[in-house]
């Protein structure tokens, strides 16, 4: 790493999806300036198009052997490509849902889409980052766009408050993360993941070196835990989920989780995998705390966005539990869980957004009352989503939990599995509450649905996928396992 | 044969799909014809399979039909294991299901959800077939969840009734508790044997049984966890609370699901896992004691119930307890035998109760009945047969199975078996008492029916009385004809394992001569006189001197209170689980979101975080510095932990 970065243009193809997206962002940003108000839809379609193309470019790179470019600070491997494809897909779906929400609440502005694209770019950099600095760069691009996105509803006090909270706490978390990175850099002499990996796994580490790595590790884990929203670094999650415009909440709760998991894999598995013994206990504790707190506190919520925030915290606990096992299959199980979670979360927020209409913000569980009478189809979709989140077979949410628990038991942590299961039982209650209010309560206000056909169609496909992947999980599990 | 098995399972599914999706187009008649046809095909083929496997001793069929997914060591398939145990279950399930389908034509005649109901019960039949035919744990679990789901749908079938909605929520949640125990058990099985296939798991038991976990044998823990699943589904104390509530559903499903088939899934499962349970005396003892508690205490509750369906429901709980006791003393074949006889006579009793309920215009209180014998002769005589079978009157089906359970307990060498013996013998008295009390109050004595209902009181339609007669025949005869082959001539030997040191069955065989001789010896046995005592007391209290019942109720008001509050299980659950968890949630919510930090930590450290506070103070809540502070404190705790945990080098410096 001592030589200057050589700019070798022949290897640029490995970063083609990122490069394309960056150019697209610039074009869209400029174009949007000159677009007449009547043609604002163009920005939306261009956004979808550039996400699609960028996703196809990433898809095209699946199967390439590992390629490391930019002097070891950027990696292209199967995990990167697969994650990027999923993230693009998730963002595209999120954009379809967002459009409905933005129109209903007069937030339809060009900068929304540009900021989303920027955050996507940040996530891509995080997924492919192979040095601590690149990873941090990606994280900051993502975070800054998200802060701005939350605050896009300028006249809403709670949105501004959420943005500021997220910003302040995010800054602290970034500080901690950087501090950890500097420790690792100081002791290993390199920012590159591969150099760090070979340093950490060398047999003759002095005990003081181990200690410093260990301390750096704690800071890194905290930075990642904050991004994932694991207890005790979860405080921002409920407030931000509740305060942000629902379409932004939807975005925050889906794609960035993929990026955060990628960063986790890069730093902790690829880089410090040999120090696994040090971070797995920590993960165990954080994940059990998350599952417990997420499951129990959600019982008290009446705001559905807040409820889903706590549900996210408990899902994150399960994901971290998979990583805590320290086996490749465990990592695969965690990745599978993460993809499943993204699928479910998209659909859940999709249904919430679907019920929004002009001047009517849906954020209470009671807003779902009597949905089965007015729209039996979407009530059924929500039923599938909620049962899947509760982990009822044969929906996909069951497999993801089962797979994690199986790995946890195989790794010998039976007590942990029992605790996780007990809280999973408790969490079934609040998912059932939503089902109850949809099916057994009478509607107390008008809940007719006004949504375009693409929104209805994509949402239906999204929810049916939860059932379909549950019926045929083979392919997805194999895919998740093949990444490690 | 493979196609025959598939047809058995799938023909009710086809019926369910047709009824479910096209029911409104097809109309009522076509819907019930189609679903009944589906189940009829299954019934005929089940009899054929029974003949092939049990009577002609055909080969066991064990094959994976379809690989669902294959990931590393986890292979999940759909497959069938058809041996004699499965064959017996198939006949019981299909026959009772057929009878219930026919009965439903009359019972649900005017209901708006007619086709939906047929769709559900056919779907249930399919799920139950998949459960009993499974050759691996995963499919078993899926069938297990599927029957639970249909049961949930059917309990809440009349969802305009608030109580029905509450009951189905309760059933769902209680079953989740059992299911997760079951799932953990399956997880352990997979972790230690690397397979979910029954045969592979059973053949690898030798390796597993020596390992230890939490200071117990691994096999004991696995068996206990699996048994938690069985306790949920088969409603054993303390997970029984959902079954009485399930009576909110229509009566045909009480007969099919909550008496004859689904609730016996736990019994079936433990019998299927007999090679595992046999290795753990601890687990067997727990099974036996839980069963005995259910048998005795749930029977006692039957005495104070006045709702006709609740009485039968508590008797079901108590009989399930008897079956569980039989499992505990390693008399698996006796448990299955009782499962079979019970399926027939309890379905009969429920359908009889349904017939009475329809005639009484949905009045279910037995204190408001009486003297129905003359008006409803077929219901009366079939109910009499059912009741005599239930109390174990010599010669009737229940007599053989219950007597064998009691004898098996008598011979058991497990610890506490002598206490359990007392419980099951006293249980006979109680069973006779509450059964006859209900019988007398409904059919004999003075009529207490109100004038309006009395005018319209008549026997039910043929579609309802036919199943009663068809179920009365096996309730009367099946014990006599099947006891010897099933228990002693090895009908179930290819499915059930009993280790030699568990001698109950061997001793039973030693004592047994013939079904006929059992009747003639009955008069010399204790259970017989307990039964007679129960019948006599029921007669005294409900016919001869009814005022004595009131007097006894007053004298023993404390006992009465305990019984009427159902031992307080429901209240305990309400207080501890429902409101307790809510309170815990509230507490944690306050702790994590607002409370703890604000009150305890912040004041002392206000200066440290003051500058962050200044930035965010204008933003209404000002709580963000609590969050930040919480993060920093967590960081410090984790760092301290990292310092002292394990082999930390700093301690050596």
């Amino acid at each position: 790493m001592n030589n200057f970065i050589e700019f070798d243009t022949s290897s640029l193809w490995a970063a083609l999806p990122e490069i394309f997206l960056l150019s697209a962002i610039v074009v869209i940003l400029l174009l949007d300036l000159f677009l007449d108000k009547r043609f604002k839809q163009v920005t939306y379609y261009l956004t979808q198009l550039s996400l699609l193309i960028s996703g196809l470019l990433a898809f095209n790179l699946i199967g390439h052997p590992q390629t490391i470019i930019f002097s070891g600070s950027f990696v292209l491997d199967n995990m990167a490509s697969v994650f990027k494809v999923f993230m693009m897909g998730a963002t595209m779906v999120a954009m379809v849902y967002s459009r409905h929400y933005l129109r209903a609440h007069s937030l339809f502005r060009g900068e929304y889409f540009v900021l989303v694209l920027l955050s996507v770019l940040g996530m891509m950099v995080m997924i492919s980052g192979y040095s601590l600095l690149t990873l941090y760069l990606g994280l900051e691009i993502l975070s800054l766009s998200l802060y701005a996105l939350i605050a896009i509803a300028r006249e809403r006090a709670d949105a501004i408050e959420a943005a500021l909270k997220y910003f302040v706490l995010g800054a602290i978390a970034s500080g901690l993360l950087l501090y950890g990175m500097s420790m690792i850099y100081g002791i290993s002499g390199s920012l590159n993941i591969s150099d760090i990996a070979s340093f950490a796994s060398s047999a003759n580490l002095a005990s003081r070196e181990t200690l410093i790595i260990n301390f750096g590790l704690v800071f890194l884990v905290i930075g990642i835990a904050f991004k994932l929203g694991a207890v005790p670094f979860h405080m921002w999650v409920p407030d931000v989920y509740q305060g942000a415009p629902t379409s932004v909440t939807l975005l925050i709760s889906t794609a960035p989780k993929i990026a955060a998991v990628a960063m986790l894999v890069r730093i902790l598995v690829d880089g410090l995998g040999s120090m696994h013994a040090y971070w797995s206990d920590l993960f165990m504790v954080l994940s059990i705390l998350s599952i417990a707190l997420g499951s129990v506190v959600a019982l008290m919520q009446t705001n559905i966005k807040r409820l889903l925030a706590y549900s996210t915290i408990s899902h994150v606990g399960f994901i971290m539990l998979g990583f805590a096992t320290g086996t490749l299959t465990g990592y695969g199980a965690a990745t599978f869980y993460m993809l499943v979670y993204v699928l479910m979360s998209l659909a859940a927020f999709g249904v919430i957004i679907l019920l929004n209409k002009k001047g009517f913000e849906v954020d209470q569980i009671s807003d779902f009352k009597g949905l089965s009478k007015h729209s039996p189809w979407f009530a059924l979709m929500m039923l599938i989503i909620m049962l899947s989140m509760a982990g009822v077979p044969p929906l996909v949410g069951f497999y993801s939990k089962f797979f994690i628990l199986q790995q946890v038991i195989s790794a010998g942590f039976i007590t942990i599995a029992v605790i996780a299961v007990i809280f999973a039982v408790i969490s079934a209650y609040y998912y059932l509450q939503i089902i109850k209010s949809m099916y057994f309560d009478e509607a107390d206000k008008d809940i007719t649905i006004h949504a375009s056909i693409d929104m209805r169609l994509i949402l239906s496909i999204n929810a049916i996928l939860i059932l379909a992947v549950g019926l045929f999980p083979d392919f997805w599990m194999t895919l998740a396992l093949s990444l490690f | 044969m493979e196609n025959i098995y598939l047809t058995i399972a799938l023909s009710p599914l086809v019926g369910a799909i047709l009824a479910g999706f096209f029911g409104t187009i097809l109309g009522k008649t076509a819907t019930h014809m189609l679903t009944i046809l589906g189940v009829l095909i299954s019934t005929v083929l089940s009899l054929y399979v029974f003949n092939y496997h049990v009577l002609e001793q055909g080969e066991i069929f064990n094959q994976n039909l379809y690989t669902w997914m294959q990931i590393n060591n986890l292979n999940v398939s759909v497959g069938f294991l058809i041996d004699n145990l499965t064959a017996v279950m198939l006949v019981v399930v299909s026959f009772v299901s057929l009878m219930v389908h026919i009965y439903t034509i009359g019972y649900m005649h005017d209901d708006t959800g007619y086709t939906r109901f047929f769709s559900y019960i056919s779907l249930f039949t399919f799920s139950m077939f998949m459960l009993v035919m499974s050759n691996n744990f995963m499919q078993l679990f899926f069938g297990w969840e599927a029957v639970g789901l249909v049961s949930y749908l059917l309990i809440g079938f009349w969802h305009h009734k608030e109580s029905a909605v509450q009951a189905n929520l309760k059933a769902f949640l209680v079953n989740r508790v059992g299911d997760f125990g079951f799932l953990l058990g399956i997880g352990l099985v997979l972790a230690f044997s690397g397979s979910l296939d029954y045969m592979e798991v059973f053949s690898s038991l030798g390796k597993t049984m020596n390992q230890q976990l939490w200071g117990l044998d691994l096999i004991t823990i696995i068996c206990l966890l699996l048994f938690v699943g069985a306790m949920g589904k088969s409603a054993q104390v303390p997970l029984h609370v959902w079954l009485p509530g399930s009576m909110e559903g229509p009566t045909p499903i009480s007969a099919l699901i909550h008496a004859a088939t689904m609730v016996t899934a736990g019994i079936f499962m433990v019998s299927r896992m007999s090679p595992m349970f046999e290795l753990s005396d601890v687990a067997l003892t727990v099974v036996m004691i839980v069963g005995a508690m259910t048998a005795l205490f749930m029977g006692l509750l039957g005495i104070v119930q006045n709702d006709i369906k609740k009485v039968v429901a508590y008797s079901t709980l108590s009989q399930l307890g008897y079956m569980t006791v039989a499992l505990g003393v390693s008399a698996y074949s006796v448990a299955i035998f009782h499962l079979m006889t019970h399926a027939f006579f309890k379905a009969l009793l429920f359908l009889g109760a349904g017939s009475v309920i329809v005639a009484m215009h949905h009045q279910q209180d037995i204190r408001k009945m009486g003297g129905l014998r003359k008006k409803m002769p077929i219901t009366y005589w079939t109910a009499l047969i059912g009741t005599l079978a239930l109390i174990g009157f010599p010669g009737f089906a229940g007599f053989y199975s219950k007597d064998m359970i009691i004898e098996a307990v008598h011979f058991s060498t497990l610890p506490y078996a002598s206490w359990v013996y007392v419980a099951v013998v006293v249980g006979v008295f109680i069973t006779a008492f509450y059964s006859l009390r209900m019988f007398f109050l409904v059919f004999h004595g003075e009529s207490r029916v109100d004038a309006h209902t009395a005018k319209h009181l008549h026997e039910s339609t043929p579609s309802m009385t036919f199943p009663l007669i068809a179920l009365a025949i096996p309730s009367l005869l099946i014990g006599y004809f099947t006891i010897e082959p099933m228990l002693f001539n090895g009908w179930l030997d290819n499915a059930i394992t009993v280790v030699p040191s568990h001698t109950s069955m061997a001793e039973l065989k030693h004592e047994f001569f013939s079904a006929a001789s059992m009747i003639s010896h009955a008069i010399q046995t204790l259970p017989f006189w307990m039964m007679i005592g129960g019948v006599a007391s029921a007669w005294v209290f409900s016919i001869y001197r009814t005022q004595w019942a009131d007097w006894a109720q007053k004298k023993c008001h404390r006992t009465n209170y305990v019984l009427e509050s159902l031992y307080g299980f429901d209240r305990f659950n309400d207080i501890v689980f429902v409101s307790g968890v809510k309170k815990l949630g509230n507490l944690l919510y306050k702790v994590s979101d607002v409370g703890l930090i604000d009150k305890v930590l912040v004041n002392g450290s206000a200066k440290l975080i003051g500058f962050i506070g200044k930035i965010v103070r204008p933003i209404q809540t000002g709580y963000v510095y609590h969050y930040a502070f919480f993060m920093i404190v967590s960081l410090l705790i984790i760092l301290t932990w990292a310092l002292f945990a394990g082999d930390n080098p700093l301690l050596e410096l």
Side-chain angles (χ1 to χ4, degrees):
Chain A
M1 242 303 272
N2 291 329
N3 49 344
F4 292 101
I5 292 176
E6 300 164 31
F7 203 74
D8 179 7
T9 46
S10 69
S11 61
L12 279 182
W13 58 267
L16 200 55
E18 285 84 356
I19 293 170
F20 171 79
L21 192 66
L22 179 61
S23 325
I25 292 171
V26 175
V27 172
I28 293 174
L29 180 63
L30 286 176
L31 196 68
D32 185 66
L33 278 179
F34 298 105
L35 271 180
D36 189 88
K37 256 211 153 87
R38 281 171 298 161
F39 302 115
K40 284 292 174 193
Q41 292 296 329
V42 175
T43 317
Y44 166 77
Y45 287 112
L46 281 177
T47 305
Q48 289 288 34
L49 186 68
S50 35
L51 283 172
L52 179 68
I53 294 177
S54 183
L56 287 176
L57 290 172
F59 184 77
N60 198 34
L61 292 173
I62 293 179
H64 269 282
Q66 196 190 44
T67 315
I68 298 175
I69 58 169
F70 298 144
S71 299
S73 57
F74 185 96
V75 67
L76 170 76
D77 57 10
N78 253 348
M79 190 189 88
S81 304
V82 170
F83 274 24
K84 279 176 205 167
V85 171
F86 270 99
M87 193 192 65
M88 295 299 174
T91 315
M92 285 176 72
V93 174
M95 284 305 98
V96 174
Y97 300 164
S98 292
R99 184 161 72 136
H100 175 72
Y101 182 86
L102 297 175
R103 277 176 175 167
H105 298 284
S106 316
L107 289 169
F108 200 94
R109 289 197 283 265
E111 57 269 32
Y112 182 88
F113 296 101
V114 176
L115 283 170
V116 169
L117 288 178
L118 268 172
S119 73
V120 170
L121 182 69
M123 289 185 250
M124 292 172 91
V125 174
M126 273 168 87
I127 291 172
S128 267
Y130 214 51
S131 88
L132 296 179
L133 218 48
T134 328
L135 286 168
Y136 180 70
L137 176 73
L139 179 66
E140 285 303 281
I141 300 179
L142 166 66
S143 304
L144 290 171
S145 330
L146 287 184
Y147 304 147
L149 270 173
I150 297 170
I152 203 154
R154 277 180 299 232
E155 54 294 321
R156 283 196 210 164
D158 53 350
I160 302 290
E161 182 191 323
L164 256 161
K165 273 184 187 166
Y166 193 24
F167 174 69
V168 171
L169 297 176
I172 297 173
S174 290
L176 295 180
L177 187 72
L178 272 181
Y179 193 54
M181 286 177 171
S182 70
M183 280 182 157
I184 301 289
Y185 176 60
I187 197 73
S188 70
S190 172
L191 284 167
N192 275 8
I193 298 289
S194 49
D195 295 342
I196 293 170
S198 55
F199 175 80
S201 57
S202 62
N204 50 352
L205 277 181
S207 61
R208 198 171 33 178
E209 289 173 324
T210 322
L211 177 72
I212 294 177
I213 293 185
N214 200 359
F215 263 53
L217 204 52
V218 169
F219 285 97
L220 292 176
V221 167
I222 289 174
I224 293 166
F226 177 84
K227 208 63 223 162
L228 282 169
V231 176
F233 308 100
H234 67 286
M235 315 287 262
W236 63 276
V237 180
D239 287 12
V240 170
Y241 272 43
Q242 184 182 6
T246 311
S247 65
V248 180
T249 311
L250 160 74
L251 191 74
I252 294 177
S253 76
T254 51
K257 297 286 187 269
I258 302 183
V261 167
M263 185 165 84
L264 189 164
V265 172
R266 294 296 177 217
I267 296 182
L268 295 182
V269 177
D270 292 354
L272 295 167
S274 55
M275 308 299 282
H276 168 262
Y278 290 93
W279 56 265
S280 78
D281 285 354
L282 191 51
F283 260 52
M284 225 35 117
V285 172
L286 295 188
S287 53
I288 283 301
L289 285 176
S290 306
I291 294 172
L293 188 116
S295 307
V296 176
V297 178
L299 295 176
M300 297 309 300
Q301 306 305 323
T302 52
N303 182 304
I304 191 160
K305 283 160 80 180
R306 216 171 165 83
L307 185 147
L308 286 176
Y310 283 106
S311 141
T312 300
I313 292 173
S314 116
H315 286 303
V316 160
F318 273 98
I319 295 173
M320 291 179 75
L321 208 49
F323 283 105
T325 58
T327 59
L328 291 186
T329 336
Y331 301 155
T335 307
F336 179 71
Y337 197 111
M338 183 266 293
L339 295 177
V340 168
Y341 159 75
V342 169
L343 188 66
M344 297 190 300
S345 190
L346 268 178
F349 280 106
V351 177
I352 299 176
I353 289 181
L354 180 80
L355 298 186
N356 274 282
K357 52 183 174 254
K358 205 128 219 87
F360 178 51
E361 178 81 45
V362 173
D363 58 1
Q364 299 298 319
I365 296 176
S366 57
D367 293 335
F368 281 78
K369 275 185 185 171
L371 184 62
S372 71
K373 301 251 162 43
H374 289 266
S375 173
W377 174 252
F378 285 107
L380 178 70
M381 298 293 110
M382 193 64 174
L383 174 82
I384 291 178
I385 299 161
M386 288 298 120
L387 287 181
S388 175
M389 283 197 167
V392 175
L395 300 165
V396 68
F398 163 75
Y399 287 103
S400 49
K401 278 205 176 63
F402 178 77
F403 211 19
I404 293 275
L405 289 175
Q406 183 212 345
Q407 291 310 315
V408 172
I409 292 175
S410 298
F413 303 106
I414 291 159
T415 322
I416 301 279
V418 172
I419 297 173
V421 159
I422 289 171
F423 284 107
V425 176
I426 293 177
S427 69
Y429 177 78
Y430 57 80
Y431 297 120
L432 269 180
Q433 255 190 336
I434 299 176
I435 296 174
K436 176 178 164 284
S437 72
M438 286 193 307
Y439 278 88
F440 299 123
D441 291 348
E442 291 299 325
D444 49 11
K445 49 181 158 289
D446 174 35
I447 47 169
T448 42
I449 291 171
H450 306 279
S452 58
I453 187 74
D454 58 336
M455 166 93 194
R456 288 164 185 261
L457 188 70
I458 300 282
L459 183 56
S460 305
I461 294 173
N462 191 176
I464 289 168
L465 261 182
I466 292 174
L467 179 63
V469 178
L471 291 174
F472 308 99
D474 206 354
F475 171 75
W476 303 97
M477 284 191 180
T478 320
L479 180 72
L481 282 175
S482 71
L483 301 179
F484 292 95
Chain B
M1 285 306 278
E2 187 181 322
N3 290 331
I4 292 179
Y5 302 137
L6 267 177
T7 315
I8 291 179
L10 294 182
S11 57
L13 179 64
V14 174
I17 292 173
L18 289 176
F21 288 106
F22 307 108
T24 44
I25 304 167
L26 291 168
K28 284 187 174 185
T29 314
T31 304
H32 72 232
M33 291 307 267
L34 277 170
T35 48
I36 289 173
L37 181 69
V39 180
L40 183 66
I41 293 172
S42 300
T43 311
V44 172
L45 290 178
S46 296
L47 286 170
Y48 174 78
V49 167
F50 181 80
N51 178 54
Y52 172 77
H53 279 284
V54 180
L55 302 182
E56 295 177 3
Q57 276 130 28
E59 290 253 311
I60 294 180
F61 177 92
N62 181 11
Q63 217 167 304
N64 287 339
L65 303 179
Y66 169 68
T67 301
W68 198 349
M69 51 180 173
Q70 171 91 47
I71 296 120
N72 286 8
N73 53 356
L74 178 67
N75 176 6
V76 181
S77 307
V78 179
F80 289 160
L81 167 64
I82 315 285
D83 55 13
N84 295 356
L85 175 60
T86 314
V88 170
M89 291 300 290
L90 285 180
V91 172
V92 172
V93 172
S94 59
F95 182 73
V96 176
S97 173
L98 180 65
M99 290 306 125
V100 168
H101 271 78
I102 296 172
Y103 183 86
T104 302
I105 300 175
Y107 191 86
M108 299 295 282
H109 192 262
D110 300 320
D111 201 280
T112 47
Y114 189 80
T115 53
R116 185 163 58 104
F117 190 83
F118 271 99
S119 168
Y120 284 166
I121 52 177
S122 277
L123 184 65
F124 170 80
T125 311
F126 162 73
S127 313
M128 195 67 202
F129 282 145
M130 292 308 278
L131 191 160
V132 297
M133 290 164 93
S134 164
N135 74 343
N136 64 68
F137 283 90
M138 204 63 174
Q139 188 184 332
L140 175 74
F141 184 69
F142 270 54
W144 194 266
E145 289 289 291
V147 289
L149 179 69
V150 184
S151 148
Y152 172 63
L153 289 172
L154 283 168
I155 295 171
F157 189 79
W158 287 320
H159 51 70
H160 47 84
K161 265 164 68 181
E162 178 65 23
S163 56
V165 175
Q166 290 296 336
N168 80 349
L169 200 64
K170 188 158 145 198
F172 193 80
L173 289 176
V174 172
N175 270 299
R176 297 306 291 167
V177 176
D179 290 348
F180 272 102
F182 192 32
L183 195 58
L184 279 176
I186 294 176
L188 277 178
V189 166
L190 180 61
F192 286 94
S193 66
S195 169
L196 286 173
D197 188 275
Y198 290 156
M199 290 307 149
E200 286 174 27
V201 170
F202 294 159
S203 61
S204 70
L205 282 176
K207 288 183 299 180
T208 320
M209 59 182 289
N210 311 325
Q211 300 191 46
Q212 296 265 319
L213 187 71
W214 295 327
L216 282 168
D217 287 336
L218 177 67
I219 190 82
T220 301
I221 291 181
I222 293 179
C223 288
L224 286 177
L225 284 171
L226 292 176
F227 183 62
V228 170
M231 283 165 70
K233 201 61 74 203
S234 292
Q236 298 294 304
V237 173
L239 296 184
H240 65 278
V241 290
W242 65 272
L243 188 62
S246 75
M247 295 300 131
E248 293 293 337
T251 307
I253 65 125
S254 305
L256 176 62
I257 301 184
H258 305 122
T261 55
M262 184 189 82
V263 290
T264 58
I267 311 297
F268 164 77
M269 187 265 282
V270 175
S271 305
R272 181 52 92 208
M273 308 301 161
S274 61
M276 300 168 72
F277 279 84
E278 277 299 284
L279 296 177
S280 170
D281 275 5
V282 178
L284 285 176
T285 311
V286 171
V287 171
M288 177 183 77
I289 290 174
V290 169
M293 283 169 62
T294 312
L296 180 62
F297 292 118
M298 293 301 116
L300 278 172
L301 293 184
I303 297 176
V304 297
Q305 298 299 317
N306 289 318
D307 180 319
I308 186 167
K309 283 182 76 182
K310 286 269 166 77
V311 178
V312 189
Y314 279 105
S315 111
T316 305
L317 282 168
S318 160
Q319 296 306 307
L320 287 167
Y322 273 96
M323 294 175 214
T324 310
V325 168
L327 298 172
V329 298
S330 300
Y332 303 99
S333 50
V334 180
I336 295 297
F337 182 47
H338 194 53
L339 185 163
M340 178 180 75
T341 59
H342 175 258
F344 293 126
F345 67 69
K346 191 49 67 62
L348 170 61
L349 280 174
F350 261 120
L351 296 186
S355 173
V356 171
I357 291 171
V358 169
M360 295 290 298
H361 297 284
H362 292 268
Q363 171 61 261
Q364 303 195 0
D365 192 332
I366 52 177
R367 287 168 302 185
K368 297 190 176 138
M369 299 178 188
L372 295 187
R373 178 166 62 115
K374 297 241 172 55
K375 304 273 188 165
M376 309 181 72
I378 301 177
T379 309
Y380 171 74
W381 286 107
T382 49
L384 178 63
I385 292 174
T387 307
L388 291 179
L390 169 63
I391 66 174
F393 194 83
F396 288 81
F399 163 71
Y400 296 101
S401 49
K402 194 181 286 180
D403 225 40
M404 280 295 125
I405 291 177
I406 294 168
E407 283 303 294
V409 176
H410 186 57
F411 290 126
S412 171
T413 52
L414 289 179
Y416 310 113
S418 47
W419 291 98
V420 171
Y421 180 72
V422 174
V424 291
V425 171
V426 173
V428 174
F429 173 85
I430 295 166
T431 309
F433 184 72
Y434 65 70
S435 306
L436 269 299
R437 169 177 174 265
M438 179 183 90
F439 186 77
F440 288 142
L441 283 178
V442 174
F443 292 106
H444 289 269
E446 296 281 305
S447 174
R448 294 174 298 280
V449 184
D450 67 71
H452 175 73
T453 317
K455 222 188 305 178
H456 298 281
L457 205 57
H458 59 81
E459 183 59 277
S460 301
T461 55
S463 71
M464 288 171 70
T465 49
F466 167 72
L468 294 179
I469 297 165
L471 283 164
I473 296 166
S475 300
L476 185 58
L477 299 176
I478 195 140
Y480 183 83
F481 288 108
T482 54
I483 179 169
E484 197 165 351
M486 197 155 177
L487 301 191
F488 306 113
N489 287 354
W491 266 14
L492 298 175
D493 278 3
N494 65 6
I496 282 167
T497 309
V498 178
V499 299
S501 63
H502 294 147
T503 51
S504 291
M505 281 313 289
E507 300 249 14
L508 275 185
K509 188 168 185 173
H510 185 68
E511 296 275 310
F512 179 83
F513 294 104
S514 71
S517 76
M518 268 183 81
I519 300 181
S520 53
H521 284 99
I523 199 160
Q524 303 167 8
T525 59
L526 183 57
F528 176 79
W529 290 106
M530 295 300 270
M531 188 263 295
I532 295 296
V535 174
S537 349
W539 178 74
V540 168
F541 281 110
S542 36
I543 301 286
Y544 180 62
R545 287 283 185 270
T546 42
Q547 66 274 29
W548 288 9
D550 302 332
W551 175 82
Q553 213 163 16
K554 274 198 204 95
K555 275 286 162 201
C556 317
H557 64 277
R558 286 221 177 77
T559 327
N560 193 47
Y561 174 76
V562 171
L563 293 179
E564 281 187 344
S565 55
L566 314 176
Y567 306 121
F569 272 108
D570 280 327
R571 197 176 304 163
F572 178 82
N573 287 345
D574 270 349
I575 294 170
V576 175
F577 293 114
V578 179
S579 74
V581 169
K582 273 187 186 162
K583 275 188 193 133
L584 182 65
N586 208 352
L587 182 75
L588 280 184
Y589 170 69
K590 281 181 186 150
V591 166
S592 72
D593 271 28
V594 268
L596 176 78
I597 307 144
D598 192 24
K599 300 221 168 84
V600 185
L601 298 170
V602 172
N603 292 340
S605 329
K607 277 180 193 161
L608 178 75
I609 46 171
F611 91 103
I612 306 174
K614 260 179 211 156
I615 300 171
V616 293
R617 188 137 299 156
I619 310 160
Q620 292 171 13
T621 68
Y623 285 140
V624 74
Y625 65 92
H626 297 172
Y627 297 0
F629 189 72
F630 193 81
M631 280 173 68
I632 304 293
V633 169
S634 305
L635 167 77
L636 289 178
I637 293 171
I638 293 171
L639 276 178
T640 318
W641 179 44
L643 196 60
F644 291 103
D647 51 344
N648 203 297
L650 190 79
L651 300 176
E652 296 152 23
L653 289 177

